[in-house]
Amino acid sequence: MKRFDGKIVYITGGSSGIGLETAKLFASLGAGVVLIARNEAKLEEAAGKVSSLRRSESQTVGTVSADVGDDAEVRRKMADAVARFGAPDILVNSAGINKYADRFENITAAEFDEVMRINCSGVRNVTAALLDRLKEKRGRVVILSSVAGLFGMFGYTAYGASKAALVGFAESLGYELRPLGMSVTLVCPPEVDTPMNLDEAKRLPREGRAVKGMGGFLMPDYVARVIVKAAAKRRFFVIPGFSTRFLYRLHRYSNGLLSRIISDAVIRKSRKRDR
Ligand SMILES: NC(=O)c1ccc[n+]([C@@H]2O[C@H](COP(=O)([O-])OP(=O)(O)OC[C@H]3O[C@@H](n4cnc5c(N)ncnc54)[C@H](OP(=O)(O)O)[C@@H]3O)[C@@H](O)[C@H]2O)c1
C-alpha cells in the first residue's frame, strides 16, 4: 500500500469503529493522525492503540474532543488543532450516529434533527473549518455515507436521510474542489461490525433487521483498507464489498424496482415468521 510519510490525517469519529481502524492503518503507513470525537477517555484509549502502530516516534498522534455538530466549537477547536498538530493533508469524516433506527412514527423531531445535525451538518462543519488549510495542500476529503444513503431501508428515515444528503453534498463539493487539484471520496459501506450496530439494534424493528441482512457484513479493518486505497488514488465513489456493489448495480439498472420488490418480499416474510 502507498506510504503516507509526512502527511497529516484528521479523522472525525477516530475513537471507534471505522474511524479508529482507518487511523491505525494511516499510522502504520507513516502518517500523523488527529482523532476527533466527543468522549475524551475513548479518544485517549484510541490514541494509545494508534501510537503503537506508528513507524516512527516523530509521527503525530493528536486528539481533539469536539462535537462535530456544533459549528462554533468545531471552528475554534480545528484552528487550535492546526496550530498544535499541523494542517491536514487528508480529512476523513467518519463521525456519525444511528441510535434512532426505528419506524418513522417513533422518531421524534428532536431525534431526527440530532441525526441530521451530527451526520450531515457535522461533515459540513469540519470540512468548512479545515477547507482553507486543505486547499493549501491540495488535500483530500473523505466522507462516510452508507448504502442506506443510496437506497431506502425499513427503519432508516432519519439515518437514510442524513446519509443520502451526504451523497449530494459530496458530489457537489467534488465539482468545486477538483479544479483546485483536490479530491472528494464518497464511501458507502453496508453493515460493518462496530459499536454503532449495537446502538442501532436497540430500536431497529425486525423488518429492518431482515432487510439489512441482505446487504452484506464487513469488518472495520477491511473498510479502512478500502478508504485508504480510495483516498490514495483520489477515487470519487467506493462501495466496499462485492455483494453490496452487485446489489447496488441491480438497484441502479432496474431504477430501484428490483430492490423494492426484494425488500417488500423480505419485509412480508419477516412479519409472517413472527406472527
Ligand atoms: N457500522 C456500520 O454498519 C456502518 C455502515 C455504513 C456506514 N457507516 C458510517 O461509518 C461511520 C463510522 O461508523 P462506525 O460504525 O465506525 O461508528 P462507531 O463505532 O459508533 O463510531 C462513531 C464515532 O463517531 C464519534 N461521534 C459520534 N457523534 C459525534 C459527534 N457529535 N461529534 C464528534 N464525534 C462523534 C464517536 O465518538 P463519541 O461518541 O465519543 O463522540 C465515535 O468515535 C459513520 O458515519 C457511519 O454512519 C457505518
Side-chain angles (χ1 to χ4, degrees), residues 11-20 36-40 42-43 64-70 74 93-98 114 117-119 122-123 126 143-148 156 159 162-163 166 187-197 199-200 212 217-218 220 223 227:
I11 306 180
T12 74
S15 64
S16 176
I18 298 169
L20 174 55
I36 303 151
R38 293 165 301 183
N39 185 304
E40 288 185 19
K42 271 170 55 187
L43 276 169
V64 179
S65 170
D67 176 354
V68 295
D70 181 335
V74 165
N93 287 288
S94 188
I97 58 166
N98 189 18
E114 185 185 340
R117 184 179 68 82
I118 294 176
N119 290 6
V123 174
V126 181
I143 295 172
L144 264 294
S145 175
S146 165
V147 287
Y156 277 53
Y159 183 76
S162 72
K163 293 297 175 179
L166 288 179
V187 188
C188 294
E191 186 173 14
V192 186
D193 187 13
T194 72
M196 176 177 280
N197 274 314
D199 247 7
E200 174 193 286
K212 240 188 123 178
F217 186 68
L218 300 176
V223 178
I227 290 171

XYZ file of all heavy atoms in Angstrom, residues 11-20 36-40 42-43 64-70 74 93-98 114 117-119 122-123 126 143-148 156 159 162-163 166 187-197 199-200 212 217-218 220 223 227, ligand 1:
545
model
N -9.190 12.718 11.466
C -10.255 11.708 11.351
C -11.328 11.964 12.403
O -11.088 11.785 13.607
C -9.683 10.278 11.518
C -8.537 10.052 10.522
C -10.780 9.232 11.329
C -7.896 8.685 10.587
N -12.511 12.394 11.961
C -13.613 12.521 12.924
C -14.161 11.112 13.185
O -14.119 10.243 12.308
C -14.745 13.435 12.401
O -15.485 12.738 11.390
C -14.214 14.747 11.838
N -14.639 10.903 14.401
C -15.067 9.550 14.756
C -13.867 8.616 14.878
O -14.015 7.394 14.809
N -12.693 9.184 15.094
C -11.458 8.401 15.106
C -11.261 7.580 16.369
O -10.280 6.843 16.469
N -12.190 7.678 17.320
C -12.014 6.921 18.573
C -12.671 5.548 18.519
O -12.572 4.785 19.477
C -12.594 7.719 19.753
O -13.995 7.870 19.607
N -13.368 5.222 17.416
C -14.126 3.958 17.400
C -14.345 3.457 15.974
O -14.277 4.229 15.010
C -15.495 4.221 18.068
O -16.316 3.080 18.009
N -14.605 2.153 15.872
C -15.093 1.554 14.631
C -14.250 1.853 13.400
O -13.026 1.692 13.400
N -14.912 2.265 12.345
C -14.258 2.502 11.049
C -13.205 3.619 11.167
O -12.105 3.509 10.616
C -15.318 2.864 9.983
C -16.299 1.697 9.774
C -14.653 3.244 8.664
C -17.539 2.053 8.950
N -13.545 4.684 11.886
C -12.600 5.808 12.036
C -11.327 5.366 12.729
O -10.213 5.726 12.302
N -11.462 4.567 13.786
C -10.285 4.099 14.530
C -9.428 3.171 13.656
O -8.198 3.298 13.621
C -10.731 3.383 15.813
C -9.625 2.702 16.624
C -8.508 3.679 16.989
C -10.202 2.062 17.892
N -10.694 12.942 16.233
C -11.696 13.905 16.706
C -12.965 13.144 17.102
O -13.507 12.373 16.289
C -12.033 14.932 15.598
C -10.768 15.656 15.146
C -13.108 15.913 16.067
C -10.802 16.125 13.707
N -13.425 13.325 18.339
C -14.683 12.723 18.815
C -15.033 13.442 20.116
O -14.296 14.351 20.541
C -14.519 11.222 19.030
N -16.136 13.056 20.757
C -16.541 13.792 21.965
C -15.922 13.229 23.243
O -15.403 13.969 24.068
C -18.078 13.775 22.100
C -18.791 14.561 21.009
C -20.256 14.236 20.959
N -20.475 12.809 20.704
C -21.658 12.225 20.543
N -22.753 12.965 20.621
N -21.750 10.934 20.315
N -15.963 11.928 23.422
C -15.579 11.311 24.692
C -14.044 11.251 24.843
O -13.371 10.555 24.086
C -16.193 9.903 24.735
C -15.946 9.220 26.059
O -14.816 9.063 26.491
N -17.026 8.807 26.699
N -13.537 11.992 25.847
C -12.075 12.134 25.971
C -11.396 10.832 26.363
O -10.300 10.530 25.888
C -11.754 13.225 26.996
C -12.059 14.599 26.452
C -11.645 15.730 27.375
O -10.813 15.490 28.262
O -12.177 16.833 27.195
N -12.319 7.779 25.648
C -12.252 6.900 24.464
C -11.183 7.399 23.487
O -10.483 6.616 22.837
C -13.622 6.852 23.765
C -14.534 5.751 24.318
C -15.963 5.846 23.818
C -16.138 5.871 22.322
N -17.533 6.124 21.904
N -11.061 8.716 23.392
C -10.041 9.286 22.495
C -8.637 8.903 22.953
O -7.787 8.525 22.139
C -10.164 10.820 22.473
C -11.181 11.413 21.513
C -11.387 12.900 21.794
C -10.748 11.226 20.061
N -8.634 15.522 19.697
C -9.431 16.735 19.893
C -10.824 16.305 20.309
O -11.494 15.573 19.569
C -9.542 17.564 18.589
C -10.393 18.810 18.831
C -8.176 17.929 18.044
N -11.259 16.749 21.482
C -12.625 16.458 21.913
C -13.538 17.564 21.398
O -13.387 18.728 21.780
C -12.687 16.381 23.443
O -14.042 16.327 23.839
N -14.439 17.201 20.506
C -15.352 18.200 19.927
C -16.617 17.509 19.434
O -16.573 16.351 19.019
C -14.684 18.919 18.757
N -17.725 18.247 19.485
C -18.982 17.770 18.902
C -19.039 18.303 17.473
O -19.153 19.523 17.272
C -20.153 18.307 19.731
C -21.516 17.934 19.147
O -21.564 17.360 18.032
O -22.524 18.231 19.800
N -18.956 17.416 16.489
C -18.899 17.881 15.089
C -20.157 18.662 14.686
O -20.136 19.436 13.740
C -18.666 16.722 14.086
C -17.306 16.093 14.278
C -19.781 15.683 14.149
N -21.241 18.448 15.422
C -22.492 19.142 15.094
C -22.535 20.581 15.574
O -23.490 21.307 15.272
N -21.527 21.014 16.317
C -21.505 22.372 16.876
C -20.490 23.201 16.085
O -19.279 23.111 16.306
C -21.120 22.278 18.362
C -21.097 23.638 19.045
O -20.911 24.665 18.361
O -21.252 23.662 20.285
N -16.436 23.558 16.608
C -15.579 22.922 15.607
C -14.579 23.941 15.059
O -13.376 23.663 14.960
C -16.432 22.305 14.467
C -15.583 21.971 13.250
C -17.144 21.055 14.972
N -14.093 12.128 7.275
C -15.294 12.418 8.059
C -16.001 11.105 8.369
O -16.778 10.603 7.555
C -16.250 13.307 7.258
C -15.771 14.729 7.128
O -15.803 15.486 8.099
N -15.317 15.098 5.937
N -15.730 10.531 9.565
C -16.337 9.243 9.903
C -17.315 9.351 11.079
O -18.059 8.412 11.337
C -15.245 8.209 10.224
O -15.779 6.926 10.378
N -17.330 10.483 11.794
C -18.225 10.605 12.957
C -19.672 10.438 12.519
O -20.079 10.993 11.495
C -18.037 11.964 13.629
N -20.436 9.680 13.271
C -21.843 9.511 12.930
C -22.573 8.730 14.000
O -21.950 8.090 14.858
N -23.890 8.825 13.966
C -24.732 8.069 14.910
C -25.875 7.393 14.149
O -26.268 7.855 13.074
C -25.345 8.968 16.019
C -26.202 10.101 15.412
C -24.256 9.543 16.920
C -27.085 10.806 16.430
N -26.365 6.296 14.722
C -27.590 5.686 14.185
C -28.392 5.069 15.325
O -28.811 3.921 15.251
C -27.273 4.627 13.125
C -28.543 4.147 12.423
O -29.571 4.834 12.486
N -28.487 2.997 11.782
N -31.254 15.652 15.511
C -29.937 15.276 16.062
C -29.141 14.451 15.050
O -27.935 14.655 14.865
C -30.127 14.494 17.371
C -28.812 14.181 18.072
C -28.997 13.306 19.313
O -30.112 13.240 19.872
O -27.998 12.671 19.714
N -28.032 16.782 12.338
C -27.014 17.716 12.842
C -25.645 17.031 12.920
O -24.629 17.575 12.474
C -27.429 18.217 14.239
C -26.507 19.263 14.847
C -27.005 19.704 16.218
N -26.910 18.663 17.214
C -25.800 18.350 17.887
N -24.687 19.013 17.670
N -25.801 17.375 18.776
N -25.609 15.811 13.459
C -24.309 15.140 13.618
C -23.836 14.547 12.291
O -22.708 14.783 11.852
C -24.394 14.050 14.718
C -24.642 14.714 16.073
C -23.119 13.200 14.741
C -24.850 13.751 17.231
N -24.705 13.772 11.636
C -24.257 13.022 10.446
C -24.044 13.917 9.229
O -23.137 13.667 8.436
C -25.284 11.948 10.077
C -25.323 10.814 11.095
O -24.660 10.877 12.128
N -26.101 9.790 10.813
N -22.441 17.845 10.632
C -21.117 17.558 11.190
C -20.050 17.505 10.108
O -18.946 18.039 10.269
N -20.368 16.872 8.990
C -19.417 16.790 7.867
C -19.191 18.199 7.294
O -18.069 18.614 7.022
C -19.939 15.826 6.777
C -19.031 15.849 5.553
C -20.054 14.408 7.336
N -16.897 20.372 9.890
C -15.455 20.067 9.972
C -14.781 20.381 8.638
O -13.682 20.942 8.585
C -15.222 18.597 10.393
C -13.736 18.304 10.506
C -15.919 18.306 11.719
N -15.627 11.179 2.851
C -16.927 11.289 3.519
C -17.548 9.904 3.651
O -17.753 9.210 2.650
C -17.857 12.228 2.721
C -17.268 13.651 2.732
C -19.276 12.213 3.278
C -17.976 14.629 1.827
N -17.845 9.513 4.907
C -18.506 8.234 5.143
C -20.016 8.442 5.052
O -20.631 8.988 5.956
C -18.149 7.700 6.535
C -17.007 6.683 6.652
C -17.346 5.381 5.971
C -15.707 7.247 6.099
N -20.582 7.979 3.917
C -22.040 7.882 3.831
C -22.364 6.433 4.166
O -21.806 5.870 5.116
C -22.518 8.296 2.444
O -23.908 8.093 2.299
N -23.228 5.793 3.397
C -23.658 4.417 3.709
C -24.476 3.912 2.526
O -25.003 4.725 1.750
C -24.545 4.467 4.951
O -25.270 3.264 5.112
N -24.641 2.580 2.413
C -25.592 2.097 1.402
C -26.985 2.629 1.724
O -27.814 2.785 0.827
C -25.642 0.555 1.270
C -24.415 0.021 0.588
C -25.886 -0.118 2.589
N -27.237 2.940 3.009
C -28.542 3.495 3.389
C -28.747 4.898 2.801
O -29.858 5.425 2.845
C -28.671 3.537 4.916
N -35.102 3.432 8.577
C -33.953 4.334 8.374
C -34.356 5.713 7.860
O -33.597 6.340 7.125
C -32.983 3.692 7.375
C -32.032 2.692 7.986
C -32.499 1.637 8.747
C -30.668 2.797 7.804
C -31.645 0.715 9.301
C -29.792 1.878 8.351
C -30.283 0.841 9.091
O -29.421 -0.072 9.640
N -31.675 8.206 9.586
C -30.297 7.886 9.195
C -30.149 7.947 7.668
O -29.207 8.537 7.141
C -29.937 6.502 9.726
C -28.518 6.070 9.468
C -27.467 6.582 10.226
C -28.217 5.127 8.485
C -26.158 6.169 10.000
C -26.918 4.707 8.260
C -25.892 5.233 9.011
O -24.595 4.814 8.791
N -30.017 11.431 6.366
C -28.728 12.102 6.624
C -27.643 11.578 5.675
O -26.789 12.341 5.215
C -28.301 11.910 8.084
O -27.873 10.577 8.333
N -27.672 10.286 5.372
C -26.625 9.706 4.528
C -26.862 10.010 3.046
O -25.914 10.159 2.275
C -26.529 8.194 4.776
C -26.029 7.855 6.180
C -24.611 8.361 6.390
C -24.088 8.179 7.785
N -22.709 8.645 7.971
N -25.558 13.372 2.318
C -24.099 13.400 2.133
C -23.695 13.035 0.706
O -22.638 13.471 0.228
C -23.421 12.442 3.126
C -23.420 12.893 4.586
C -22.736 11.840 5.460
C -22.728 14.248 4.742
N -17.685 7.250 0.480
C -17.608 5.828 0.827
C -18.976 5.372 1.339
O -19.530 5.980 2.266
C -16.541 5.583 1.918
C -16.332 4.089 2.143
C -15.227 6.260 1.563
N -19.523 4.312 0.729
C -20.864 3.839 1.106
C -20.810 2.365 1.527
O -21.131 1.474 0.724
C -21.831 4.034 -0.066
S -22.126 5.760 -0.457
N -20.441 2.094 2.790
C -20.354 0.689 3.215
C -21.726 0.109 3.539
O -22.665 0.845 3.865
C -19.524 0.750 4.510
C -19.093 2.172 4.679
C -20.002 3.011 3.840
N -21.818 -1.243 3.517
C -23.001 -1.905 4.071
C -22.802 -2.012 5.587
O -22.025 -1.248 6.162
C -22.941 -3.281 3.407
C -21.477 -3.543 3.277
C -20.827 -2.207 3.031
N -23.451 -2.975 6.224
C -23.303 -3.152 7.673
C -21.840 -3.499 8.010
O -21.237 -4.343 7.347
C -24.222 -4.286 8.133
C -24.257 -4.445 9.622
C -25.303 -5.466 10.070
O -25.815 -6.227 9.235
O -25.577 -5.494 11.279
N -21.318 -2.841 9.034
C -19.934 -3.077 9.464
C -19.958 -3.409 10.956
O -20.759 -2.847 11.715
C -19.057 -1.822 9.202
C -17.596 -2.119 9.521
C -19.193 -1.346 7.753
N -19.078 -4.313 11.352
C -19.056 -4.788 12.736
C -18.411 -3.747 13.660
O -17.203 -3.765 13.887
C -18.264 -6.109 12.783
C -18.335 -6.751 14.153
O -19.171 -6.331 14.972
O -17.530 -7.675 14.401
N -19.207 -2.802 14.157
C -18.700 -1.723 15.031
C -19.711 -1.468 16.146
O -20.861 -1.944 16.078
C -18.537 -0.403 14.244
O -19.855 0.103 13.964
C -17.761 -0.569 12.962
N -19.353 -0.655 17.146
C -20.302 -0.333 18.218
C -21.598 0.325 17.716
O -22.634 0.238 18.373
C -19.511 0.625 19.114
C -18.079 0.239 18.889
C -17.996 -0.157 17.441
N -21.544 0.968 16.544
C -22.767 1.598 16.021
C -23.898 0.580 15.861
O -25.068 0.884 16.092
C -22.485 2.263 14.670
C -23.733 2.843 14.038
S -23.424 3.701 12.507
C -22.835 5.255 13.112
N -23.535 -0.640 15.472
C -24.551 -1.675 15.265
C -25.273 -2.034 16.550
O -26.468 -2.332 16.544
C -23.914 -2.928 14.678
C -23.839 -2.807 13.191
O -24.807 -2.421 12.555
N -22.690 -3.086 12.634
N -25.778 0.007 19.073
C -26.649 1.152 19.344
C -27.934 1.060 18.529
O -29.037 1.245 19.022
C -25.922 2.428 18.905
C -25.586 3.307 20.083
O -25.808 2.860 21.214
O -25.093 4.428 19.846
N -27.736 0.758 17.248
C -28.843 0.702 16.304
C -29.818 -0.420 16.659
O -31.036 -0.264 16.555
C -28.248 0.481 14.918
C -29.221 0.255 13.831
C -28.514 -0.273 12.592
O -27.844 0.499 11.924
O -28.666 -1.473 12.312
N -31.746 -5.546 6.303
C -30.320 -5.255 6.453
C -29.449 -6.469 6.174
O -28.351 -6.360 5.639
C -30.069 -4.821 7.900
C -29.509 -3.453 8.009
C -29.119 -3.166 9.406
C -27.665 -2.792 9.419
N -27.184 -2.457 10.730
N -21.984 -7.919 5.274
C -21.483 -7.595 6.614
C -19.963 -7.586 6.549
O -19.356 -8.581 6.152
C -21.997 -8.646 7.603
C -21.663 -8.353 9.032
C -22.243 -7.273 9.690
C -20.767 -9.148 9.730
C -21.948 -6.997 11.015
C -20.461 -8.882 11.070
C -21.052 -7.813 11.702
N -19.362 -6.468 6.900
C -17.904 -6.332 6.742
C -17.231 -6.011 8.070
O -17.869 -5.502 9.001
C -17.600 -5.202 5.751
C -18.153 -5.355 4.331
C -17.833 -4.096 3.521
C -17.571 -6.585 3.644
N -14.421 -3.767 10.182
C -13.981 -2.368 10.023
C -12.561 -2.221 9.451
O -12.278 -1.242 8.761
C -14.052 -1.793 11.446
C -14.172 -2.963 12.353
C -14.772 -4.078 11.570
N -12.919 -2.223 5.705
C -13.436 -0.937 5.206
C -12.333 0.128 5.263
O -12.195 0.951 4.344
C -14.681 -0.497 6.014
C -15.207 0.854 5.545
C -15.784 -1.553 5.897
N -10.954 2.532 2.289
C -10.916 4.006 2.427
C -9.526 4.543 2.078
O -9.383 5.495 1.300
C -11.302 4.415 3.871
C -12.793 4.157 4.113
C -10.950 5.871 4.153
C -13.236 4.320 5.564
N -21.188 0.438 11.244
C -21.909 0.379 10.148
O -22.648 -0.595 9.906
C -21.823 1.495 9.118
C -22.285 1.230 7.822
C -22.231 2.249 6.861
C -21.732 3.489 7.193
N -21.291 3.727 8.478
C -20.811 5.069 8.783
O -19.428 4.989 9.115
C -19.124 5.993 10.077
C -18.428 5.362 11.263
O -19.331 4.471 11.889
P -18.863 3.366 12.935
O -19.670 2.177 12.688
O -17.390 3.308 12.947
O -19.426 4.037 14.287
P -18.921 3.954 15.796
O -18.009 2.796 16.019
O -20.160 4.082 16.621
O -18.055 5.289 15.928
C -18.653 6.543 15.801
C -17.607 7.581 16.102
O -18.190 8.868 15.894
C -17.966 9.680 17.048
N -19.065 10.634 17.157
C -20.393 10.361 17.249
N -21.071 11.503 17.366
C -20.158 12.508 17.347
C -20.237 13.924 17.453
N -21.410 14.561 17.621
N -19.089 14.640 17.389
C -17.900 14.024 17.240
N -17.751 12.706 17.148
C -18.874 11.963 17.204
C -17.924 8.659 18.200
O -17.265 9.151 19.364
P -18.055 9.927 20.553
O -19.358 9.230 20.755
O -17.127 9.863 21.713
O -18.233 11.319 20.052
C -17.112 7.558 17.538
O -15.749 7.883 17.562
C -20.441 6.680 10.437
O -20.559 7.876 9.731
C -21.479 5.671 9.986
O -22.699 6.281 9.693
C -21.315 2.755 9.426
